[in-house]
Amino acid sequence: MIRKGMKLYSILFGACPKCHQESMYDNKNPYALPDTLRMNEKCSHCNLKYQMEPSFFYGSMYVSYGVGIAFAVTAFVISYLIFESSLVTAFIAIVITLIVFMPIIMRLSRNIWINLFVGYDKKVLKK
Ligand SMILES: [Zn+2]
């Protein structure tokens, strides 16, 4: 099970990477497109500043490449290997998948990126 305290919890749910008590994002729904990347400035529980330095989340673009490939491979396997479609149809499935899941890919990448630098700290809540 995925529970608070695991890095995967913060990555999947966009929770503060340090205390896991609240969402980093203004709007929890990634498909509210104007708000997809709008983040709170700080965590109200542990005071962690999410944008640690200017342009901190530019680095998440490197992560989004890997995450995008994972989604594309999954789309290819499902369409080409499971449904035995043609290569052209598989390509169209990949493009549609990348467009439809773009908000999720962008948020996952940011979550993974910030979790590379900040770890869970259970002591922070007792203070
Ligand atoms: Zn926090």
Side-chain angles (χ1 to χ4, degrees), residues 73 75-85 90:
V73 167
F76 176 78
V77 167
I78 290 173
S79 68
Y80 189 72
L81 300 180
I82 296 178
F83 289 109
E84 297 177 349
S85 66

Side-chain angles (χ1 to χ4, degrees), residues 31-46:
Y31 284 96
L33 292 181
D35 298 335
T36 297
L37 295 179
R38 186 174 298 154
M39 302 178 82
N40 299 317
E41 194 187 327
K42 288 180 173 184
C43 175
S44 62
H45 291 86
C46 68

Side-chain angles (χ1 to χ4, degrees), residues 1-93:
M1 277 298 291
I2 300 166
R3 56 191 144 66
K4 288 182 182 180
M6 300 169 76
K7 248 189 202 320
L8 203 55
Y9 179 86
S10 173
I11 290 172
L12 290 180
F13 299 107
C16 166
K18 195 168 183 184
C19 67
H20 293 187
Q21 291 303 304
E22 66 169 42
S23 173
M24 293 188 283
Y25 298 96
D26 221 18
N27 187 339
K28 275 192 167 187
N29 178 8
Y31 284 96
L33 292 181
D35 298 335
T36 297
L37 295 179
R38 186 174 298 154
M39 302 178 82
N40 299 317
E41 194 187 327
K42 288 180 173 184
C43 175
S44 62
H45 291 86
C46 68
N47 226 16
L48 173 74
K49 194 178 173 201
Y50 297 133
Q51 183 134 10
M52 291 171 241
E53 54 192 44
S55 310
F56 173 72
F57 285 106
Y58 277 23
S60 69
M61 286 191 295
Y62 301 113
V63 180
S64 84
Y65 178 74
V67 175
I69 294 293
F71 275 81
V73 167
T74 305
F76 176 78
V77 167
I78 290 173
S79 68
Y80 189 72
L81 300 180
I82 296 178
F83 289 109
E84 297 177 349
S85 66
S86 69
L87 271 180
V88 173
T89 312
F91 177 74
I92 292 169

